[in-house]
């Protein structure tokens, strides 16, 4: 499947993002992952059980984790149908939680790519512990230039990673990798073209993560330009607000919660799922 490995970090910006993820140790990611060994670096969706606020704190942690896992489940719902002989790609795989879930659900081969070598090692260790190393593999590769074979993949997803890259470059690579009729699913935060430009709260999110949140319109322009036809667009904004409310009250709050809540409530930012087919 692999040709010559391309250079992974091609810009000073990418080096800084890799350094960020190599050093990242936020309890909100680690403690939640320890609940059941599925490590996520994304947000949650769905209503939370208010009784967890009565304590102990472990209940809040478990509830936040449940909502993050529910988010990955919805993403995977949109990848279907996937057969065991199909091959999937996780673009920006983090500590690997969504890839492990995809393999568990579909029984297929999953390759995850991330520009953090620490994450690659961590995620491969998780796959080994679960005895799925032959089917789930994590690679130190750039999703803009994976080096994987053309039309070798049935489905690709990005779970909160597209704000780190140029969408036209990204979808050009995904369009090359996918078989005709292959599915791409994206979950992302994006700013609202209708309210105009980047709000202060969205700028705070960019600053916190050294990322560049794209406009909603940019996704559809870049998809169309690369032979992707959307089949489902789901606005998850209302469903993610409870997660942020619970997180704000928890011991693992990082300080960015207010910016997300403001941006979502004022309508300058959406939490969006896009499923599109490669034609
Ligand atoms: N999708 C994972 C992780 C999201 S965090 C999850 O849901 O848990 C963002 C991830 O994007 C990190 O793993 C980071 O290394 C990765 N990333 C950012 N830019 C990338 C690039 N150009 N190529 C591959 N991965 C990238």
């Amino acid at each position: 499947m692999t040709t010559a490995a391309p250079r992974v970090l091609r810009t000073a910006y990418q080096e800084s993002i890799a350094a960020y993820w190599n050093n990242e140790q936020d309890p909100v990611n680690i403690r939640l992952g320890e609940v059941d060994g599925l490590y996520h670096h994304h947000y949650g969706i769905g209503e939370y059980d208010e009784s967890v606020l009565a304590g102990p704190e472990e209940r809040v942690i478990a509830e936040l984790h449940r909502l993050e896992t529910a988010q990955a489940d919805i993403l995977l719902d949109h990848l279907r149908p996937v057969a065991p002989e199909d091959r999937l790609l996780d673009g920006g795989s983090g500590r690997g939680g969504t890839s492990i879930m995809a393999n568990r659900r579909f029984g297929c081969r999953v390759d995850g790519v991330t520009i953090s070598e620490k994450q690659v090692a961590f995620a491969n260790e998780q796959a080994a512990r679960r005895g799925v190393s032959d089917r789930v593999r994590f690679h130190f590769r750039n999703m803009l230039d994976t080096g994987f074979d053309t039309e070798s993949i049935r489905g690709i997803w990005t779970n909160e990673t597209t704000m780190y890259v140029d969408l036209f470059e990204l979808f050009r690579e995904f369009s090359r990798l996918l078989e005709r009729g292959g599915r791409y699913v994206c979950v992302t935060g994006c700013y609202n073209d209708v309210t105009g430009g980047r709000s202060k709260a969205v700028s705070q999110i960019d600053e916190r993560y050294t990322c560049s949140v794209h406009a909603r319109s940019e996704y559809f322009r870049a998809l169309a330009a690369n032979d992707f036809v959307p089949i489902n667009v789901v606005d998850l904004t209302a469903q993610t607000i409870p997660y942020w409310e619970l997180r704000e009250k928890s011991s693992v709050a990082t300080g960015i919660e207010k910016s997300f809540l403001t941006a979502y409530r004022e309508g300058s930012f959406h939490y969006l799922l896009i499923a599109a087919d490669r034609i």
Side-chain angles (χ1 to χ4, degrees), residues 243-254:
Y243 165 86
W244 286 100
E245 289 171 342
L246 179 60
R247 185 167 145 166
E248 189 178 39
K249 295 183 190 124
S250 77
S251 66
V252 292
T254 63

Side-chain angles (χ1 to χ4, degrees), residues 74-126:
I74 290 210
L75 186 158
L76 296 176
D77 287 344
H78 287 266
L79 268 181
R80 285 187 298 205
V82 178
E85 58 276 17
D86 287 337
R87 179 156 211 164
L88 300 176
L89 176 72
D90 182 352
S93 44
R95 283 190 163 92
T98 312
S99 286
I100 301 272
M101 287 170 65
N103 166 263
R104 199 155 72 186
R105 188 190 290 211
F106 304 120
C108 66
R109 169 88 189 252
V110 182
D111 287 281
V113 297
T114 167
I115 54 175
S116 159
E117 288 175 277
K118 278 263 177 61
Q119 289 184 333
V120 171
F122 185 96
N124 277 328
E125 163 70 21
Q126 294 304 311

Side-chain angles (χ1 to χ4, degrees), residues 188-240:
T188 189
C190 59
Y191 74 79
N192 187 358
D193 301 90
V194 177
T195 53
R198 211 175 290 268
S199 66
K200 182 166 180 173
V202 169
S203 299
Q204 288 164 346
I205 294 167
D206 278 349
E207 171 67 25
R208 164 68 178 79
Y209 295 101
T210 323
C211 67
S212 180
V213 165
H214 301 292
R216 173 157 45 117
S217 59
E218 185 86 349
Y219 281 89
F220 298 94
R221 266 200 283 272
L223 286 169
N226 288 289
D227 298 324
F228 281 105
V229 181
I231 177 78
N232 263 306
V233 179
V234 186
D235 181 2
L236 298 170
T237 308
Q239 291 181 61
T240 194

Side-chain angles (χ1 to χ4, degrees), residues 4 13 42 45 55 103 110 123 125 127 142 145 166 185 191 218 272:
Y13 173 71
H42 59 244
I45 54 173
N103 166 263
V110 182
E125 163 70 21
N142 196 316
D145 183 11
D166 178 279
V185 181
Y191 74 79
E218 185 86 349
L272 210 66

Side-chain angles (χ1 to χ4, degrees), residues 14 17 21 39-42 90-98 113-116 119 141-144 157-161 164-165:
Q14 288 168 1
I17 298 306
W21 288 107
Y39 289 82
H40 303 303
H41 288 348
H42 59 244
D90 182 352
S93 44
R95 283 190 163 92
T98 312
V113 297
T114 167
I115 54 175
S116 159
Q119 289 184 333
R141 283 173 189 247
N142 196 316
M143 63 183 169
L144 297 174
W157 73 86
T158 51
N159 200 349
E160 295 182 16
T161 70
Y164 293 105
V165 294

